[in-house]
């Protein structure tokens, strides 16, 4: 079962109570305590889905309206049914939004399941999303347990379940699929399973525009390993590093080819959604005028989540988290602060950045030891707010989540 000798343990992965012994390869088996953590996660998120369905029923909407047929879900279902190049939307400002902005893996899986009898595209999309969410939650727990043990791992999963925008994990969106692939790619990377990490990162790159984050982690850790070992690395490392960026790069080049601008075509497509790399100037302009927007609670919550993300990233770096997690999180956080676009969507883009929860989970575990009643009240408060806010965003808010 051993891959590396004890003397060659990866220094970017610190020895902690939950880690295997140095040089011992991590196991894919379910870690101790995972079932209880997953049951807690499932209870919170199923309650959120039930609330969305209940509101839809009470307001006379379709049962699946808020889960499978809203915002970006409509685009994914259309691509799965009719293919690319068949849907266009012209905004009030005259921008032409096309379906080429959406990455192909999720609609491709929907199309495959759509051939199963009695499964509509919407139901197929939800089955994929919910299965991926369960696998992602298991991966979050596995990494938390590997690095810090059972208590912190459980707290990570619980906090991930009660994030304000975790309702997205129960919608027909790409976040669950991307997170599942990225989490297990990072787990394989911590274990130096290079080909597995590369393949999963490549698939993650076919899922979302920020799918490059998993590839960035693989490439960064691989580069460090090459330098540290002076190029004397196994062939699997080169294979994993080469495969990791292929999915994301291939789709960008395909869109560039279809639009007639190989290198910039996809970014031109994305600009119709007002997404441009401007070093955060657009975000600063928005924040300066945010009180003028009639966004209710949506914008303040988005601002709080983004600010907390920046703070937690600083704590993550201070605690010398494994390089793979730092690179992955940095790659997700960078466009949130440096790319203009709908501000209310930025917290959703941070959902995959689960390593940000490590410092918060450690603090929650410490609080539980010193003030268990206060920790319990905090958890109930966060859960209640998450369920109510998620239901509001998915059913009433006139903003994309």
């Amino acid at each position: 079962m051993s891959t590396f000798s004890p003397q060659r343990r990866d220094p970017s992965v610190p020895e902690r109570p939950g880690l295997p012994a140095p040089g011992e390869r991590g196991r894919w088996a379910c870690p101790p305590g995972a079932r209880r953590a997953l049951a807690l996660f499932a209870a919170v998120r199923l309650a959120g889905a039930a609330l969305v369905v209940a509101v839809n029923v009470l307001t006379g909407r379709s049962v699946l309206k808020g889960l499978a047929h809203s915002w970006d879900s409509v685009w994914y279902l259309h691509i799965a049914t009719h293919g690319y190049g068949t849907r266009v939307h012209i905004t009030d400002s005259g921008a032409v939004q096309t379906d080429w902005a959406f990455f192909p893996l999720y609609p491709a899986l929907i199309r495959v399941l759509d051939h199963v009898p009695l499964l509509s595209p919407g139901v197929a999309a939800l089955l994929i999303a919910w299965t991926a969410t369960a696998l992602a939650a298991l991966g979050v727990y596995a990494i938390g347990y590997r690095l810090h043990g059972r208590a912190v791992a459980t707290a990570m999963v619980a906090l991930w379940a009660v994030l304000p925008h975790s309702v997205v994990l129960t919608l027909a969106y790409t976040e669950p699929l991307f997170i599942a692939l990225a989490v297990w790619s990072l787990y394989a990377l911590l274990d130096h399973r290079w080909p597995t990490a590369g393949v999963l990162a490549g698939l993650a790159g076919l899922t979302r525009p920020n799918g490059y984050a998993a590839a960035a982690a693989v490439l960064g850790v691989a580069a460090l390993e090459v330098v540290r070992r002076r190029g004397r690395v196994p062939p699997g490392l080169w294979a994993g590093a080469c495969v990791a960026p292929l999915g994301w790069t291939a789709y960008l080049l395909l869109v560039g080819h279809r639009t007639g601008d190989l290198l910039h075509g996809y970014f031109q497509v994305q600009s119709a959604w007002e997404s441009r790399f401007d070093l955060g100037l657009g975000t600063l302009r928005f924040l300066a005028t945010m009180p003028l927007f009639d966004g209710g609670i949506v914008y303040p919550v988005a601002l709080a989540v983004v600010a907390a993300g920046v703070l937690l990233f600083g704590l993550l770096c201070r605690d010398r988290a494994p390089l793979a997690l730092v690179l992955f999180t940095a790659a997700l956080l960078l466009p949130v602060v440096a790319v203009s676009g709908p501000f209310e969507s930025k917290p959703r883009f941070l959902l995959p950045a689960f390593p940000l929860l490590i410092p918060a989970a450690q603090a929650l575990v410490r609080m539980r030891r010193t003030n268990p009643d206060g920790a319990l009240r905090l958890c109930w408060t966060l859960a209640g707010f998450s369920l109510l806010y998620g239901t509001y965003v998915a059913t009433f808010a006139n903003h994309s989540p």
Side-chain angles (χ1 to χ4, degrees):
M1 294 292 292
S2 179
T3 303
F4 298 99
S5 64
Q7 292 78 15
R8 300 170 75 175
R9 185 181 66 86
D10 183 1
S12 70
V13 183
E15 290 188 59
R16 299 185 189 272
L19 274 172
E24 180 186 350
R25 175 179 275 189
R27 296 179 176 87
W28 292 100
C30 189
R35 291 179 178 86
R36 178 176 295 182
L38 292 181
L40 174 64
F41 178 88
V44 174
R45 292 305 354 131
L46 288 176
L51 278 176
V52 172
V53 171
V55 170
N56 285 335
V57 171
L58 292 174
T59 55
R61 306 176 189 177
S62 166
V63 172
L64 295 181
K65 172 63 178 175
L67 298 176
H69 299 283
S70 58
W71 298 297
D72 292 356
S73 302
V74 176
W75 289 86
Y76 294 122
L77 295 176
H78 187 89
I79 294 169
T81 305
H82 303 286
Y84 280 97
T86 59
R87 181 180 173 90
V88 172
H89 174 70
I90 301 177
T91 67
D92 295 337
S93 62
V96 180
Q97 299 175 339
T98 70
D99 49 21
W100 289 107
F102 299 91
F103 277 58
L105 184 58
Y106 185 48
L109 293 176
I110 296 173
R111 190 179 187 92
V112 170
L113 278 190
D114 190 30
H115 290 90
V116 177
L118 304 180
L119 282 187
S120 66
V123 173
L126 286 178
L127 285 177
I128 295 169
W130 291 357
T131 301
T133 294
L135 292 174
L138 177 60
V140 170
Y141 183 89
I143 289 181
Y145 179 83
R146 179 185 173 99
L147 296 178
H148 299 284
R150 180 183 297 190
V152 172
T154 302
M156 285 176 62
V157 173
L159 289 173
W160 197 47
V162 300
L163 290 177
H165 289 71
S166 286
V167 65
V168 175
L169 298 173
T170 53
L171 304 184
Y173 264 52
T174 53
E175 273 77 9
L177 181 60
F178 167 61
I179 299 169
L181 293 168
V183 165
W184 287 107
S185 173
L186 292 172
Y187 188 88
L189 190 58
L190 291 176
D191 200 34
H192 282 186
R193 298 175 185 258
W194 301 106
T196 302
V199 169
L200 291 175
L203 292 173
L206 284 171
T207 309
R208 286 195 49 76
N210 56 1
Y212 62 82
V218 174
L219 293 174
V221 174
L224 176 63
E225 190 72 5
V226 169
V227 172
R228 186 170 68 87
R229 299 175 60 175
R230 298 181 180 179
R232 298 173 183 175
V233 294
L237 182 147
W238 298 111
C242 290
V243 171
L246 287 185
W248 189 78
T249 304
Y251 185 69
L252 259 65
L253 293 177
L254 172 63
V255 175
H257 173 71
R258 294 299 298 263
T259 58
D261 188 342
L262 189 63
L263 298 180
H264 304 98
Y266 179 79
F267 301 102
Q268 292 173 358
V269 169
Q270 272 289 353
S271 66
W273 268 263
E274 300 179 355
S275 295
R276 299 179 182 85
F277 186 80
D278 59 3
L279 298 177
L281 294 178
T283 298
L284 292 176
R285 285 194 294 267
F286 173 82
L287 293 177
T289 59
M290 189 175 68
L292 301 178
F293 286 82
D294 184 20
I297 194 175
V298 172
Y299 292 123
V301 169
L303 178 60
V305 171
V306 173
V310 174
L311 173 62
L312 290 172
F313 181 71
L315 296 176
L316 187 72
C317 295
R318 184 200 65 179
D319 292 342
R320 298 182 180 180
L323 179 63
L325 302 187
V326 172
L327 291 176
F328 175 72
T329 306
L332 292 171
L333 189 59
L334 177 63
V336 169
V337 299
V339 174
S340 64
F343 194 82
E344 66 273 21
S345 295
K346 291 183 180 292
R348 175 166 65 89
F349 302 154
L350 284 177
L351 269 180
F354 70 93
L356 293 175
L357 298 176
I358 293 177
Q362 292 173 316
L364 181 60
V365 170
R366 289 193 296 268
M367 182 180 181
R368 183 176 180 274
R369 290 169 181 165
T370 59
N371 184 10
D373 291 338
L376 185 61
R377 286 193 298 270
L378 175 61
C379 290
W380 278 110
T381 300
L382 292 174
F385 180 79
S386 174
L387 295 177
L388 294 176
Y389 180 77
T391 303
Y392 167 73
V393 169
T395 56
F396 292 116
N398 293 320
H399 308 273
S400 60

